[in-house]
């Protein structure tokens, strides 16, 4: 029996209960919820408009009661930028993950279920995309498509789906041989019914675990692209904050400008990593033992 076959597929209620009892999973969930709260209630939490240029005496102020995280070279409040930047990071993370995991699930499900020539063609396409260096390709595509938050989401999705497709395919190959699938086939169930009503629900926990981990990867990719100057200058994001901080040359005496977005990126990625690892531990007992 392979490792793919030993996969626990709990219901969503059971998964949530076990997740709450997992210390790292609970910590990751709390971190994520804090940033989600910040993103939703940004207008009420922020001190001022993050794009509002301050007065001359407000330029590059260190942290103070009026500006808890200081200001940048235009006198803009960094705390307000961090709060609104959470919206961009979560938007990119969630949308890119939905598209990426959606494409990977469809391809992995189709490839694993039908096998044969269909499997061969889809997996060769998947392999071709996987062997291309991800970061250089994202940089090239972002430069060609132009600086836009939607282009960044598209680029991240196009590059990342093969890994999801591989994981889903391996699970489908195992699930489709189980007795309940054969029983449904003998009762005359169609291929579409078997794929989406019998097999897909049993790989949903795997899809969920992959999706959670992909969110952190998408957030990191957006931060890297924005830091390199390929982000959307009309949206405040943590990566763009780092880009402006480094390109201004003011870090030698304004350390707080880069410290805040750097910590925010690290914390949010850490939160999704903790949560994704906890979900993996729950659905894969053998991995948990290791």
């Amino acid at each position: 029996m392979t490792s793919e076959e030993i996969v626990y597929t709990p219901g969503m209620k059971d998964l949530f209960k076990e997740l709450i009892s997992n210390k790292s999973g609970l910590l990751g969930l709390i971190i994520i919820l804090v940033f989600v709260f910040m993103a939703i209630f940004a207008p009420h939490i922020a001190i001022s408009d993050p794009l509002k240029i301050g007065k001359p005496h407000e330029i590059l102020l260190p942290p103070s009661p009026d500006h808890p995280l200081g200001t940048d070279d235009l006198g803009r409040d960094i705390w307000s930028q961090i709060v609104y930047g959470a919206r961009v990071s979560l938007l990119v993370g969630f949308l890119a993950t939905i598209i990426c995991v959606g494409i990977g699930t469809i391809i992995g499900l189709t490839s694993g279920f039908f096998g044969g020539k269909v499997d061969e063609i889809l997996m060769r396409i998947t392999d071709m995309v996987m062997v291309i260096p991800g970061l250089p390709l994202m940089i090239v595509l972002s430069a060609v498509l132009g600086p836009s938050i939607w282009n960044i989401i598209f680029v991240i999705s196009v590059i990342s789906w093969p890994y999801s497709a591989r994981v889903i395919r391996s699970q489908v190959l195992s699930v489709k041989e189980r007795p309940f699938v054969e029983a449904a086939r003998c009762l005359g169930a169609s291929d579409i019914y078997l794929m989406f009503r019998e097999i897909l629900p049993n790989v949903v926990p795997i899809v969920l675990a992959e999706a959670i981990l992909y969110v952190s990867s998408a957030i990191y990719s957006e931060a890297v692209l924005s830091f390199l100057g390929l982000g959307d200058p009309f949206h405040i994001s943590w990566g763009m904050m780092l880009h402006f901080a480094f390109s201004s040359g003011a870090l030698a005496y304004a350390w707080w400008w880069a410290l805040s977005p750097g910590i925010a990126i690290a914390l949010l990625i850490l939160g999704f990593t903790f949560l994704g690892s906890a979900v993996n531990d729950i659905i894969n007992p053998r991995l948990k033992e290791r």
Side-chain angles (χ1 to χ4, degrees):
M1 182 176 291
T2 64
S3 60
E4 290 85 359
E5 293 176 308
I6 307 179
V7 174
Y8 173 47
T9 54
M12 295 306 295
K13 290 184 178 179
D14 294 333
L15 180 62
F16 182 75
K17 289 180 181 179
E18 294 193 41
L19 188 61
I20 294 299
S21 63
N22 186 297
K23 292 182 179 179
S24 63
L26 181 59
L27 176 60
L29 186 61
I30 291 173
I31 293 174
I32 294 168
L33 289 178
V34 169
F35 281 103
V36 170
F37 178 85
M38 287 173 54
I40 294 174
F41 297 100
H44 306 285
I45 299 175
I47 296 174
S48 62
D49 185 342
L51 297 176
K52 180 183 178 182
I53 298 177
K55 299 177 181 179
H57 68 274
E58 293 179 318
I59 292 176
L60 293 177
L61 290 178
S64 65
D66 292 333
H67 302 283
L69 299 180
T71 61
D72 62 11
D73 62 341
L74 296 177
R76 298 177 298 186
D77 182 66
I78 292 177
W79 164 251
S80 300
Q81 294 184 45
I82 291 292
V83 171
Y84 276 90
R87 288 185 167 186
V88 175
S89 293
L90 291 172
L91 175 68
V92 172
F94 286 135
L95 284 186
T97 297
I98 290 172
I99 297 172
C100 164
V101 175
I103 295 173
T105 299
I106 295 299
I107 291 179
L109 187 62
T110 304
S111 177
F113 181 81
F114 290 104
K117 290 293 184 181
V118 174
D119 183 35
E120 185 72 18
I121 294 172
L122 291 178
M123 285 302 100
R124 293 299 73 78
I125 295 174
T126 301
D127 292 339
M128 288 173 58
V129 178
M130 288 182 69
V131 298
I132 301 174
L135 182 58
L137 182 57
M138 282 193 290
I139 292 174
V140 171
L141 288 176
S142 297
V144 171
L145 295 174
S148 167
I149 197 70
W150 305 111
N151 288 341
I152 288 179
I153 293 172
F154 171 75
V155 168
I156 295 173
S157 305
V158 167
I159 301 302
S160 304
W161 66 263
Y163 304 95
S164 177
R166 277 286 184 182
V167 173
I168 300 303
R169 171 184 175 272
S170 67
Q171 294 303 317
V172 171
L173 289 174
S174 171
V175 173
K176 76 174 186 178
E177 302 297 332
R178 294 182 182 177
F180 66 88
V181 177
E182 292 299 324
R185 192 190 304 274
C186 292
L187 292 174
S190 65
D191 290 341
I192 298 298
Y193 181 91
L194 291 174
M195 289 172 61
F196 292 98
R197 296 296 299 274
E198 298 292 344
I199 296 177
L200 182 59
N202 286 277
V203 300
V204 163
I206 300 293
V207 174
L208 178 62
E210 288 294 307
I212 293 171
L213 293 174
Y214 276 122
V215 173
S216 63
S217 178
I219 292 171
Y220 173 76
S221 297
E222 185 277 330
V224 171
L225 293 174
S226 296
F227 174 72
L228 295 175
L230 299 171
D232 190 340
F234 300 105
H235 288 82
I236 292 294
S237 73
W238 299 333
M240 289 302 299
M241 291 176 66
L242 289 174
H243 169 72
F244 291 134
F246 277 86
S247 62
S248 70
L251 283 184
Y253 46 87
W255 51 267
W256 57 86
W257 191 358
L259 181 63
S260 300
I263 291 177
I265 293 170
L267 281 176
L268 189 54
I269 290 176
L270 195 63
F272 279 106
T273 301
F274 280 162
L275 184 61
S277 298
V279 173
N280 264 328
D281 289 344
I282 293 170
I283 66 177
N284 193 337
R286 176 171 290 184
L287 178 63
K288 186 175 181 179
E289 292 173 3
R290 292 175 184 174

